[in-house]
Structures are given as structure tokens and as C-alpha cells.
Amino acid sequence: MKKRSKLLPGILIITIFFSSCSSLSPTQVYQTLPTLTKSKLLKQAEATEMVETNKCTYLSKNRYFVAPIGFTPNDDLKNGARGIDEWVELDGGNSYVLKNFKWVTVDDQGSTQLHIDFDTLKCN
């Protein structure tokens, strides 16, 4: 009995820890994502201005990528960054605009998966 009672608090702490970090804040995503991609993250206003001045061209709008589930939210973001870079490269671009992202619950245990909406661009 004593072993079981000692294990329970540890399991509870681990469960609370993983439940509390099932996603990242918008600020955390916008600060971290550019460090994980080879492509350049542009803000929407910046992209609009660069397209209007012929410094960039949209290659594909409304790309949607579901990142493979990682062990942590940061792993999810790394997987999402790889997906963004793959699409940017496939489109022949070098930049992207992050339009939206969300962690979607995918099972009864509370596992989440990162969904990303973005546009790809080619910039000079």
C-alpha cells in the first residue's frame, strides 16, 4: 500500500503538468515559429505591403497543414514548422504568412494536434 500511495502524487503531478501545457500562447508561437522554419515568417500587413510594391508574390493562399503529434507543444510546433517549410519549398517560395493555428483535441485522453493555416509567397 505504501508504494501505491507514494506513486499517486507523482502520477498526479505528471498528469497536471502535461494537461497544463497542451498548447502554446499566440506570443509563444509567433516568437518560436520563425526560429524553427527556414522560410521567412511575414506579418500579414508586411506581406500585403510587399505584394503591393512587387517585392513578393503570393504562390498559394489558404494552405492547411495538420502537424504530426509530438510529445510536447514545442514538438508539435517543430513538426508544424517542417510542414510549412515543405509546402513553401514545393510552391517554389521562400516566405509564409501564418493566418491561424489551433490545437485540436483528437482523443478521449486529451491529446491535441496542431492545425496551421498559412499562405506561401516568393519574395525578392
Side-chain angles (χ1 to χ4, degrees), residues 14-123:
I14 290 169
T15 303
I16 291 170
F17 172 75
F18 282 113
S19 297
S20 68
C21 63
S22 61
S23 63
L24 299 172
S25 73
T27 301
Q28 291 171 311
V29 170
Y30 277 93
Q31 288 174 346
T32 307
L33 190 58
T35 67
L36 300 174
T37 57
K38 294 181 247 174
S39 309
K40 182 177 180 182
L41 171 62
L42 301 174
K43 294 179 183 173
Q44 183 64 62
E46 182 182 14
T48 300
E49 180 182 323
M50 292 179 80
V51 168
E52 289 174 356
T53 59
N54 296 318
K55 294 179 183 172
C56 291
T57 304
Y58 278 102
L59 300 172
S60 180
K61 289 191 173 189
N62 302 315
R63 284 266 181 232
Y64 184 72
F65 182 73
V66 178
I69 297 173
F71 188 65
T72 67
N74 280 328
D75 291 338
D76 292 345
L77 199 56
K78 287 177 190 175
N79 293 339
R82 277 195 292 274
I84 289 170
D85 277 338
E86 287 176 13
W87 275 114
V88 170
E89 184 178 336
L90 286 170
D91 289 342
N94 57 9
S95 303
Y96 65 99
V97 174
L98 180 62
K99 295 174 63 177
N100 194 18
F101 66 91
K102 61 185 170 186
W103 271 267
V104 176
T105 303
V106 294
D107 63 23
D108 294 339
Q109 288 76 40
S111 300
T112 57
Q113 190 166 28
L114 178 61
H115 292 226
I116 306 170
D117 298 311
F118 61 100
D119 298 332
T120 62
L121 300 96
K122 173 73 174 178
C123 299

